[in-house]
Amino acid sequence: MAELDPTGPLRRIVILGGGSAGWMSACYLAKSLPDVRVVVLAAPEIPRIGVGEATIPNLQSVFFDLLGLSEDDWMPHCNASFKMGIKFVNWATPGRGEARVRDAYYHVFGLLREHEGLPLSQYWTQRRADGEPTGTFDEDCYWEPALMEARRGPRFADGTSATAHAWHFDANLLADFLARHATTVLGVEHVEDRMTEALLDERGYITALRTAGGRDLEGDLFVDCSGFASLLINRTMGEPFLDMGDRLRCDRAVATPVPYDDADLEPYTSSIAMSAGWTWKVPLLGRFGTGYVYSADFQDPDDAAREFCDLWGLDPAEADLRHLRFRVGRNERAWVRNCVGIGLSSCFLEPLESTGLYFVYGALYLLVRHLTDRRFAPGLVDRFNAEVVRMFDDSRDFLQTHYCLSPRTDTAFWRSQQDLTLSDDVREKIATYRAGLPVNQPTVDVGTYYGNFEAELRNFWTNGSFYCVFAGLGIEPDGPMPVLAHRPEAVRSSADAFAAVAAERDRMLRDLPPTVEDVRRVQGRG
Ligand code: FDA
């Protein structure tokens, strides 16, 4: 390699790790920086985490659109299906984790509709206070819950999108697909070998990764995608990991695939509350992925496996169960000198709102925006770090509200949720909700919001998300928004806005095909 010129642009980026984070990073960086050489070093004998199968809508606009890949291009390679939201089951009432579908609410994608400058949530609360007949919050304010119950897909028969949606897929197939795309289309070099050591210069910057096969892979910037091992950012750079077990208690999972009659393919992720956590269900053609996320402080792995197997009628002795441990929190800084952590090496929140892959491409978007030359200007690096902290902490706070507002008190795990450490920011959001005000009402229309990741990133969990979860848990504001007492006409005419939601729901129930039909078609199995 040429003599190090400490002022020139980046020439070579080395990524350690070939999981979803490693290959997403390779594709994103190679596409965004076409004159930079990108190398991925991954040890085939060290397995990927292999979970991470539920996503959120901006995966397409922020990641696949950049690569020039439509749903039809990537979905068939990843056994991908559609997701229109998350169905939370049993989060409000005591129980032993039986799938009792009556205690259920949807957290729906998309922005909450507005009427006369205020979100429908405010009118919904007012109408309840006025004794008007109302349904549940999610059913009255969104058309998607009825579509999900009826297993309709989010796209019309010609493939155009009818409503905001995300995807479920096989995590290993996604990483394999991205690896092929990176190496065959984007010119990324793939080195299959194990890193044994990182070589440092006198300033503590990484100069090369040494491999078991005897190679030294030199680079200007090193991206740590080595998963929970965090070999570069924690082990080599020595950056501290801030454990947030006092804010989110779950730290284990037991997972397995289950055969599935996909004729009834559900276009949503299920999140079923259990005695010491919750279980995900991610439906794909032919199987669903499922895992019980729990806290080791409140349940041992054998009990967790039994409760999990009970839920699905599996025999714990026969089932192919994977037990996983994870750490919840983030590194103090995501970028230190010439090393950036992306993926599990950098931060992790339990998968309650499917944020893992979002943190990967969110960080990549921010990395390219804050890209430095080989001087690694602190102004850029520090700004990037501050943005990653904001992205992560904001989601952590939102996840906490699912627990600390849950009325469940039937086990020690659920009772312990009352003692979570909460940030001032989330306390303020809860107080705002209780006061009858919109919580983080978007200031842009839905097209701008979803068309501009910058706008979305800065206001990620909006009013609709807070209302879906809070109202879904049965937590009502202390009263309606006081100003509505002075706007009786707006309250009266809001009936038209709710009627429009119902009419749109009926139209879509009529016009949208079953999810399974569209998924089979897009996968070429129709
Ligand atoms: P991963 O562990 O997959 O990859 C690490 C890579 O580093 C491997 O290729 C390995 O070979 C390589 N490596 C390690 N040491 C090496 C060495 N010495 N030399 C060379 N290579 C080395 N996310 C989401 O968006 N939706 C979801 O539903 C979920 N669900 C979920 C459930 C559970 C229980 C967990 C723990 C996590 C999730 N996630 C998730 C998160 C998601 O799984 C995760 O963000 C991505 O898979 C990214 O993982 P990584 O690529 O960072 O690590």
Side-chain angles (χ1 to χ4, degrees):
M1 200 170 174
E3 185 74 5
L4 194 72
D5 167 7
T7 61
L10 298 180
R11 294 161 305 185
R12 204 171 140 95
I13 297 177
V14 179
I15 297 168
L16 176 64
S20 308
W23 288 113
M24 284 179 106
S25 300
C27 289
Y28 196 97
L29 295 173
K31 184 72 183 180
S32 304
L33 312 168
D35 57 338
V36 174
R37 183 90 182 125
V38 177
V39 181
V40 172
L41 168 62
E45 72 276 18
I46 303 177
R48 302 168 178 146
I49 189 97
V51 285
E53 308 204 315
T55 59
I56 48 184
N58 51 27
L59 173 70
Q60 182 65 42
S61 55
V62 181
F63 182 70
F64 282 118
D65 284 354
L66 175 86
L67 302 183
L69 297 173
S70 69
E71 290 177 314
D72 286 1
D73 293 327
W74 67 267
M75 286 182 67
H77 303 280
C78 307
N79 189 14
S81 63
F82 294 114
K83 166 181 174 184
M84 292 158 75
I86 304 176
K87 183 176 187 175
F88 287 88
V89 180
N90 287 359
W91 281 75
T93 51
R96 271 204 63 256
E98 306 85 357
R100 288 171 296 112
V101 289
R102 276 330 307 152
D103 169 7
Y105 69 89
Y106 285 98
H107 177 195
V108 179
F109 296 132
L111 300 186
L112 191 55
R113 285 88 186 159
E114 294 188 2
H115 174 69
E116 303 272 331
L118 286 175
L120 286 188
S121 44
Q122 282 17 77
Y123 297 98
W124 184 79
T125 309
Q126 179 69 53
R127 284 163 64 82
R128 282 171 81 77
D130 293 345
E132 298 283 337
T134 51
T136 60
F137 170 79
D138 52 352
E139 285 167 354
D140 282 358
C141 297
Y142 293 92
W143 50 73
E144 288 86 349
L147 301 181
M148 288 189 255
E149 284 294 295
R151 315 289 192 256
R152 292 291 193 278
R155 312 192 316 171
F156 295 108
D158 65 1
T160 54
S161 180
T163 185
H165 63 271
W167 303 268
H168 296 139
F169 45 65
D170 180 314
N172 278 315
L173 292 181
L174 177 82
D176 291 344
F177 170 74
L178 293 176
R180 283 196 302 279
H181 187 79
T183 50
T184 58
V185 178
L186 297 171
V188 171
E189 184 186 346
H190 182 189
V191 177
E192 296 188 73
D193 205 344
R194 182 169 52 84
M195 184 197 93
T196 52
E197 185 186 358
L199 308 182
L200 304 181
D201 68 12
E202 65 288 349
R203 301 167 306 157
Y205 282 60
I206 303 175
T207 55
L209 303 187
R210 180 157 289 169
T211 74
R215 289 181 66 176
D216 286 345
L217 299 173
E218 296 179 323
D220 303 317
L221 177 69
F222 292 82
V223 182
D224 186 354
C225 297
S226 62
F228 285 131
S230 195
L231 297 178
L232 299 183
I233 191 82
N234 288 159
R235 298 247 187 119
T236 306
M237 294 286 121
E239 187 63 9
F241 180 80
L242 304 180
D243 184 282
M244 298 187 184
D246 59 332
R247 292 169 185 260
L248 287 166
R249 304 230 185 273
C250 293
D251 55 2
R252 302 275 177 108
V254 51
T256 191
V258 176
Y260 179 53
D261 175 8
D262 54 35
D264 199 31
L265 190 67
E266 292 159 354
Y268 53 83
T269 306
S270 294
S271 162
I272 303 160
M274 310 279 278
S275 66
W278 62 280
T279 287
W280 79 76
K281 178 185 181 191
V282 172
L284 304 178
L285 289 186
R287 70 147 167 106
F288 63 83
T290 180
Y292 175 17
V293 175
Y294 66 97
S295 165
D297 285 344
F298 294 92
Q299 200 169 34
D300 70 41
D302 289 343
D303 274 352
R306 261 191 300 278
E307 187 177 340
F308 176 59
C309 287
D310 272 0
L311 179 68
W312 302 122
L314 303 173
D315 177 352
E318 297 290 317
D320 177 20
L321 300 178
R322 275 187 70 202
H323 288 269
L324 299 151
R325 285 167 186 253
F326 52 79
R327 57 181 198 177
V328 172
R330 61 169 165 79
N331 293 330
E332 197 163 302
R333 293 171 299 174
W335 185 345
V336 180
R337 298 190 278 278
N338 65 338
C339 174
V340 187
I342 298 215
L344 299 176
S345 68
S346 172
C347 59
F348 182 63
L349 279 180
E350 52 142 299
L352 187 58
E353 285 284 350
S354 317
T355 43
L357 297 176
Y358 155 60
F359 289 154
V360 172
Y361 54 81
L364 289 166
Y365 168 86
L366 291 168
L367 177 61
V368 169
R369 256 186 113 80
H370 294 80
L371 197 74
T372 71
D373 59 17
R374 275 174 277 147
R375 282 174 296 197
F376 296 99
L380 290 158
V381 173
D382 294 349
R383 286 312 313 141
F384 169 86
N385 284 332
E387 295 283 1
V388 171
V389 167
R390 196 157 73 128
M391 173 173 75
F392 179 86
D393 289 2
D394 185 45
S395 292
R396 176 205 62 202
D397 289 354
F398 180 57
L399 256 66
Q400 286 187 290
T401 64
H402 298 60
Y403 289 105
C404 71
L405 294 182
S406 168
R408 284 188 66 154
T409 53
D410 52 306
T411 64
F413 171 82
W414 289 102
R415 285 190 292 278
S416 79
Q417 305 304 327
Q418 301 310 312
D419 306 328
L420 296 182
T421 307
L422 299 178
S423 70
D424 289 345
D425 191 51
V426 74
R427 284 180 195 282
E428 194 179 309
K429 288 194 165 102
I430 294 169
T432 304
Y433 175 84
R434 290 203 192 272
L437 299 169
V439 187
N440 199 24
Q441 182 181 356
T443 52
V444 294
D445 65 22
V446 67
T448 310
Y449 185 79
Y450 280 118
N452 175 350
F453 188 52
E454 195 64 26
E456 193 182 348
L457 189 64
R458 277 165 205 298
N459 295 285
F460 203 71
W461 305 104
T462 61
N463 184 56
S465 291
F466 286 102
Y467 266 80
C468 277
V469 174
F470 293 9
L473 289 171
I475 310 294
E476 301 228 356
D478 295 337
M481 192 173 177
V483 73
L484 288 178
H486 303 277
R487 298 175 63 187
E489 186 42 46
V491 174
R492 249 194 311 277
S493 58
S494 72
D496 298 339
F498 287 103
V501 170
E504 194 61 8
R505 175 195 65 209
D506 293 344
R507 183 178 78 84
M508 293 215 188
L509 279 171
R510 207 178 47 238
D511 294 350
L512 288 171
T515 307
V516 67
E517 266 179 30
D518 198 19
V519 170
R520 283 191 183 139
R521 191 199 60 72
V522 81
Q523 289 201 22
R525 306 195 208 177

